[in-house]
Amino acid sequence: MSNVECLFKVFSKSGVIFGTYILLSPYQVLADSFTPLDPAKVVLVDWAAVIVSIIPFVGVLLAVGFYTLLERKILAIIMIRKGPSKVSYMGILQPFSDAGKLLCKEFIVPTRANVGPFILAPALMLAISLLGWLLYPYKSAEVFYVFGVILFMVITSVSVYGVMMSGWASNSKYSLLGAVRAMAQSISYEIPMGFIFFCVVLCSGVFMFQEISVFQQSLFFFFLPLCVVMLVWMLCMLAETNRAPFDFVEGESELVSGYNVEYSGGGFAVMFIAEYSSILLSSVMSAAMFFGGNEALVGFFMMVFAIFFVVVRASLPRLRYDKLMNLCWTVLLCVMLTASVCVVVLVGV
């Protein structure tokens, strides 16, 4: 019996045991309860909660498609050329055409790649990216996270694992170098990002994005006292989402395409969706933290930040990697340490 067959049998038995545990867990909860429940009132699946959880993800996928169209239109305007305009009226259906083209192409697995992680990496990246949208500052009392700020930091930290897995599993020098760059870049810029959250939480007194947004309903935006902090935040978001001028992970002139150089078809499409979903999530959180209030203001400033990502891509050239690291460790970190001390003093007074 080969090693593959042995592993398959082990995973099959583990799956049966895990599935049995999942099926029996609701009954274990009922058995352990102190008060007997009416069987007619026992609901194993709350379909309303399921629908409320699924609809935002569908909206995010549609928003990612049309955000790519917006980006191509803005880039065309800045570069004085024609953008996508052939598919439907003014190119409105161009995102669906691109998605259909990519999903219909063959998904090629390189001969020397590690097949399991290679296939799993795009799904992991998309799942982590969509998981962050659970932190959207809803006004509903049914969906909120008391420590949303900490959860956002956890999600942004874990998102680098998908890039690492894809770069390592591709078994390519270009992919691996792009993954190593992504890990170093993400770890470095999470440090000033933590100080930014410290300043915002200290000013608002809460960790919930809903409360941080509501705190600014009187039009006292955190942007006013924390303007320097917001500028550092935007630089950190450009680095965390691997956008120009910090797109060293996908440096075309150096790494062909970086960590996703070996991906094609649906795998590349899923990684593309995950990247742009993270950009939109960063825009929403930026608007909620510095220009909160009602949902109209959050939506407006979210579009401003989303357009900012595109304009920066069209305007600034790519830096050198050593300058990126020097910017983080010698400039942004010092600025945020000084800003944190100032915020502590002002809040204490």
Side-chain angles (χ1 to χ4, degrees), residues 40 107 144 219 253 331:
F107 181 71
F144 65 92
L219 298 182
S253 60
V331 179

Side-chain angles (χ1 to χ4, degrees), residues 27-28 39-40 48 120 136 140 148 168 175 181 201 207 224 264 267 270 275 279 287 326:
Y27 302 100
Q28 182 66 30
L120 183 63
Y136 183 87
S140 171
W168 172 80
S175 301
R181 284 184 172 188
V201 169
F207 285 87
L224 299 176
S264 61
V270 170
E275 178 183 348
I279 294 172
N326 288 333

Side-chain angles (χ1 to χ4, degrees), residues 320-341:
R320 288 207 321 257
Y321 194 75
D322 60 326
K323 289 187 176 181
L324 171 74
M325 289 301 173
N326 288 333
L327 176 65
C328 174
W329 291 102
T330 63
V331 179
L332 299 185
L333 185 58
C334 298
V335 170
M336 284 314 305
L337 283 171
T338 306
S340 300
V341 172

Side-chain angles (χ1 to χ4, degrees), residues 91-110:
I92 295 296
L93 298 182
Q94 184 68 46
F96 300 99
S97 175
D98 295 337
K101 178 194 69 173
L102 286 173
L103 295 176
C104 290
K105 284 186 174 182
E106 181 182 2
F107 181 71
I108 300 173
V109 179

Side-chain angles (χ1 to χ4, degrees), residues 102-341:
L102 286 173
L103 295 176
C104 290
K105 284 186 174 182
E106 181 182 2
F107 181 71
I108 300 173
V109 179
T111 305
R112 296 181 178 274
N114 297 295
V115 179
F118 185 83
I119 297 175
L120 183 63
L124 179 64
M125 292 178 64
L126 182 61
I128 294 174
S129 178
L130 293 179
L131 185 64
W133 283 93
L134 296 175
L135 299 175
Y136 183 87
Y138 296 101
K139 297 301 180 184
S140 171
E142 297 178 359
V143 182
F144 65 92
Y145 292 88
V146 178
F147 295 100
V149 171
I150 297 177
L151 184 57
F152 180 79
M153 291 190 65
V154 171
I155 291 174
T156 54
S157 302
V158 174
S159 62
V160 75
Y161 284 97
V163 178
M164 179 186 69
M165 184 184 296
S166 63
W168 172 80
S170 298
N171 203 6
S172 167
K173 294 180 180 179
Y174 294 122
S175 301
L176 184 60
L177 186 56
V180 171
R181 284 184 172 188
M183 287 185 289
Q185 183 172 324
S186 177
I187 292 172
S188 299
Y189 277 83
E190 280 168 7
I191 298 174
M193 188 174 71
F195 283 106
I196 294 169
F197 281 125
F198 172 77
C199 295
V200 173
V201 169
L202 200 61
C203 290
S204 61
V206 291
F207 285 87
M208 293 172 54
F209 282 108
Q210 286 90 342
E211 293 293 335
I212 293 174
S213 180
V214 169
F215 191 84
Q216 305 172 74
Q217 278 187 345
S218 60
L219 298 182
F220 177 74
F221 299 138
F222 284 152
F223 165 74
L224 299 176
L226 302 177
C227 55
V228 176
V229 174
M230 196 197 77
L231 294 177
V232 177
W233 166 263
M234 292 311 303
L235 293 176
C236 291
M237 286 299 99
L238 287 173
E240 287 289 331
T241 55
N242 305 318
R243 293 289 291 182
F246 303 146
D247 55 341
F248 300 99
V249 179
E250 304 170 353
E252 294 87 357
S253 60
E254 309 155 4
L255 305 178
V256 184
S257 183
Y259 65 92
N260 57 9
V261 68
E262 302 292 345
Y263 283 87
S264 61
F268 179 80
V270 170
M271 299 174 97
F272 191 79
I273 293 172
E275 178 183 348
Y276 277 78
S277 173
S278 301
I279 294 172
L280 292 177
L281 177 63
S282 302
S283 303
V284 171
M285 294 309 168
S286 303
M289 286 199 305
F290 297 102
F291 296 96
N294 54 38
E295 293 188 356
L297 280 175
V298 172
F300 173 77
F301 284 107
M302 176 260 183
M303 285 300 302
V304 172
F305 283 112
I307 294 174
F308 167 79
F309 278 95
V310 181
V311 173
V312 168
R313 176 184 177 182
S315 305
L316 299 178
R318 184 181 298 128
L319 300 178
R320 288 207 321 257
Y321 194 75
D322 60 326
K323 289 187 176 181
L324 171 74
M325 289 301 173
N326 288 333
L327 176 65
C328 174
W329 291 102
T330 63
V331 179
L332 299 185
L333 185 58
C334 298
V335 170
M336 284 314 305
L337 283 171
T338 306
S340 300
V341 172

